[in-house]
Each structure stands twice: as C-alpha cells, then as structure tokens.
C-alpha cells in the first residue's frame, strides 16, 4: 500500500509550526510531572502527537524507498524531540530545580556553547522551510485574487479552474477556461495585470477552446 495521504505528506517537510505541538506537549508533560502526578496520559499524548507520526512516516519512506520522505520525517522527529526537551528545561529552570554542577565553569561554558550551536544548526532548516511556506502561501493568495478579479470577470458566463505551482521556474498559474476562447491580445492583457497582484515573475498559462468564429469564417470563405 503506497497511497500518499495528506497526513504522511504533511510530515515530510517540517516547519516551525509543526514543532509548536511538541513544545506545548512537552510543557504539559513537565507541568504534570512537577505537580507529582504519576499519570502517563499527558506524556503519552505528547508522544502520540509529536513523536509517533514522524517515526511512522519515516518507516513509510523506508518501505517505499523514498529517502526524501525518510529524511524529512526523521528530521521532524529530531526537531520535536529537541523542543520537548527545551520546554522541559524551561519549566525546570523556572521552578528552580537543582542544577547539575560541572567540574569547572570552563567546562560548563563549553557545554552551553556546544548546545547552542547544535540547536541553531538543527532549527535553521525548519526556519527556512517556514519562510518558504509563508512566501508560497502569499503567492497562492495573490494568484487566487488575480484569477477571480481579472479572468473571472472577463465574461459573465465564464467558468474556470486554476492550479498553481510555486516550485516551477518561474512560478506558474495554469488556468483552464475551456470551452471558452479569448484572443492573444486579451490573454496578454491578463499577463500584464499580474504585476498588480505582486506576481511580476509569474508565468500565466491559459488552456482554452478553439477559436470557433475564426474557423467558421475560414470555412465560409472556402
């Protein structure tokens, strides 16, 4: 069974939004433990929501031989594990639990530097993916407004569908208006209006029907 569901695909490209679940799950777990409650329900929820799904997705990636899925899911698992630890540390420090004493301040400072460097290296890719997700979301919103306000108002009976591809170079908006037909001049005017929606570097591809009137005129002349 190799059907790719949204739940699986959603855990192959982690962003900072995904790790918030782990962070708040870790907060709930450490607060429960700090109150002396021996229940495993809250930590179990944190594991079920933050750790098991990416591990299952990593296993799925191995099963179908897709190493990009495996790497993305494993990265999300690592991120979630770190954020659960981070939320735990914050509460432990806030509650002033006894700290581990290092042999010397020099060793303690070195350990802290290593931890900070490691966290920055691990979190940076998710920050980049989060930034890319925001840019893509803005692109899709602008594309929706452009197609509705420009193409959608070109004819009162026009029905169209569209899809976007941000990863295409340049980003692509493909609009299907078949069986309607519009001239090259009209389509060019649509392309010129892309800049009004911050889509200057976007390619507009229009799929339409045949130019019936031109063909009929040619048939009449023949």
């Amino acid at each position: 069974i190799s059907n790719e569901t949204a739940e699986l695909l959603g855990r192959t490209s982690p962003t900072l939004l995904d790790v918030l679940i782990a962070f708040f799950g870790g907060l709930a777990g450490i607060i429960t433990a700090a109150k002396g409650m021996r229940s495993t329900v809250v930590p179990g929820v944190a594991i079920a929501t933050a750790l098991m799904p990416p591990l299952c997705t990593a296993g799925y990636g191995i099963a179908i031989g897709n190493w990009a899925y495996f790497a993305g899911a494993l990265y999300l698992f690592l991120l979630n594990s770190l954020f659960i630890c981070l939320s735990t540390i914050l509460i432990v420090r806030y509650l002033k639990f006894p700290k581990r004493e290092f042999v010397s301040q020099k060793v303690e400072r070195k350990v802290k530097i290593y931890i900070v460097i490691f966290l920055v290296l691990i979190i940076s890719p998710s920050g980049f993916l989060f930034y890319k997700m925001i840019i893509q979301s803005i692109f899709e919103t602008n594309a929706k407004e452009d197609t509705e306000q420009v193409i959608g108002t070109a004819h009162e009976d026009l029905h169209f569908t569209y899809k976007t591809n941000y990863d295409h170079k340049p980003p692509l908006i493909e609009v299907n208006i078949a069986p309607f037909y519009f001239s090259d001049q009209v389509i060019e005017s649509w392309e010129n209006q892309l800049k009004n929606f911050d889509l200057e570097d976007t390619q507009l591809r229009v799929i339409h029907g045949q130019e019936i009137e031109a063909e009929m005129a040619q048939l009449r002349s023949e």
Side-chain angles (χ1 to χ4, degrees):
I1 300 175
S2 58
N3 295 333
E4 298 172 350
T5 65
E7 291 294 327
L8 287 169
L9 295 177
R11 289 170 173 84
T12 56
S13 300
T15 67
L16 288 177
L17 289 179
D18 298 310
V19 300
L20 289 179
I21 298 174
F23 181 79
F24 288 110
L27 279 180
I30 185 59
I31 290 173
T32 302
K35 285 187 174 182
M37 301 170 62
R38 296 186 179 274
S39 172
T40 59
V41 173
V42 176
V45 171
I47 293 171
T49 56
L51 301 183
M52 283 304 297
L55 277 183
C56 293
T57 304
Y60 171 78
I62 294 174
I64 66 171
N66 191 322
W67 301 111
Y69 285 3
F70 170 74
L74 201 63
Y75 174 55
L76 177 58
F77 171 76
L78 180 59
L79 267 179
N80 286 350
S81 301
L82 287 174
F83 271 78
I84 288 175
C85 294
L86 179 62
S87 60
T88 302
I89 291 172
L90 291 176
I91 296 299
V92 165
R93 291 291 176 85
Y94 174 76
L95 296 176
K96 298 180 180 179
F97 280 29
K99 290 170 54 179
R100 174 182 175 180
E101 297 293 335
F102 285 86
V103 176
S104 66
Q105 291 185 349
K106 183 179 180 181
V107 174
E108 182 178 2
R109 186 166 56 251
K110 186 183 295 185
V111 169
K112 288 181 178 179
I113 292 173
Y114 287 159
I115 291 175
V116 170
I117 292 174
F118 179 71
L119 286 174
V120 170
L121 290 176
I122 292 296
I123 295 173
S124 294
S126 68
F128 171 75
L129 291 172
F130 180 55
Y131 169 77
K132 183 180 178 181
M133 185 186 72
I134 292 176
I135 297 300
Q136 182 173 349
S137 177
I138 294 173
F139 165 75
E140 292 174 353
T141 300
N142 292 343
K144 183 175 185 291
E145 292 180 356
D146 174 69
T147 53
E148 290 179 350
Q149 297 180 23
V150 177
I151 300 176
T153 57
H155 194 282
E156 59 181 6
D157 296 325
L158 177 63
H159 297 284
F160 69 93
T161 59
Y162 78 96
K163 59 182 180 180
T164 59
N165 186 352
Y166 182 74
D167 294 326
H168 186 272
K169 300 300 180 185
L172 174 68
I173 303 174
E174 185 176 273
V175 183
N176 189 337
I177 60 173
F180 278 83
Y181 176 87
F182 288 94
S183 65
D184 293 340
Q185 290 78 9
V186 173
I187 294 176
E188 185 178 352
S189 71
W190 293 349
E191 293 174 343
N192 292 334
Q193 293 185 66
L194 288 172
K195 61 185 178 182
N196 298 331
F197 298 88
D198 295 327
L199 297 169
E200 293 88 348
D201 300 325
T202 303
Q203 177 186 352
L204 178 65
R205 181 184 298 166
V206 179
I207 302 172
H208 49 71
Q210 299 296 318
E211 190 177 6
I212 303 298
E213 293 299 327
E215 290 186 358
M216 291 296 292
Q218 183 178 355
L219 288 172
R220 291 191 192 98
S221 65
E222 291 175 353

